[in-house]
Amino acid sequence: MEGRTKQCRAGELSPVNIPIQMICGIDTTGKITPIRFRFQTAEDMIETVTIEKVISRDEKNYVGIREKQFICAVQIGDIQRIIEIRYNVESQKWKIFQFLS
């Protein structure tokens, strides 16, 4: 997986830009709510993570790249984490942008 700095076992992640597969809900106004995602670990295992709470949402525009930002509470393995997930509007790809805790 490209773009990561380090990835160990699930729960011991220090990633940057890990691509993920996302399941999300979209309401009638177009508001996106991430629900669950999965990603490939360094051991080539597929880890599925349920988003427990969307803490905040925002839209970022860096150098013409539009991304929707979600700060979420998740549990990976036995560890509770706060992560930043981003959705690239143009490419329609999701990624774990960074782990905040």
Side-chain angles (χ1 to χ4, degrees), residues 55 71-74 80-84 98-101:
I55 298 168
I71 306 298
C72 302
V74 299
Q80 182 86 17
R81 304 293 298 262
I82 303 296
I83 64 172
E84 179 180 345
Q98 65 180 328
F99 278 69
L100 302 172
S101 71

Side-chain angles (χ1 to χ4, degrees), residues 21-37 51 54 57 68 70 72 87 94:
Q21 295 175 320
M22 178 65 73
I23 295 176
C24 63
I26 303 172
D27 69 13
T28 57
T29 66
K31 179 180 170 185
I32 298 172
T33 301
I35 298 169
R36 183 173 46 243
F37 65 89
I51 295 172
V54 176
R57 60 184 79 226
K68 295 191 180 288
F70 301 90
C72 302
Y87 172 71
W94 290 86

Side-chain angles (χ1 to χ4, degrees), residues 48-59:
T48 301
V49 178
T50 299
I51 295 172
E52 296 178 348
K53 181 179 181 182
V54 176
I55 298 168
S56 69
R57 60 184 79 226
D58 196 6
E59 190 160 322

Side-chain angles (χ1 to χ4, degrees), residues 23 36-39 41 45-50 75-77:
I23 295 176
R36 183 173 46 243
F37 65 89
R38 65 185 193 169
F39 64 96
T41 67
M45 302 289 291
I46 301 296
E47 180 83 21
T48 301
V49 178
T50 299
Q75 181 140 355
I76 299 178

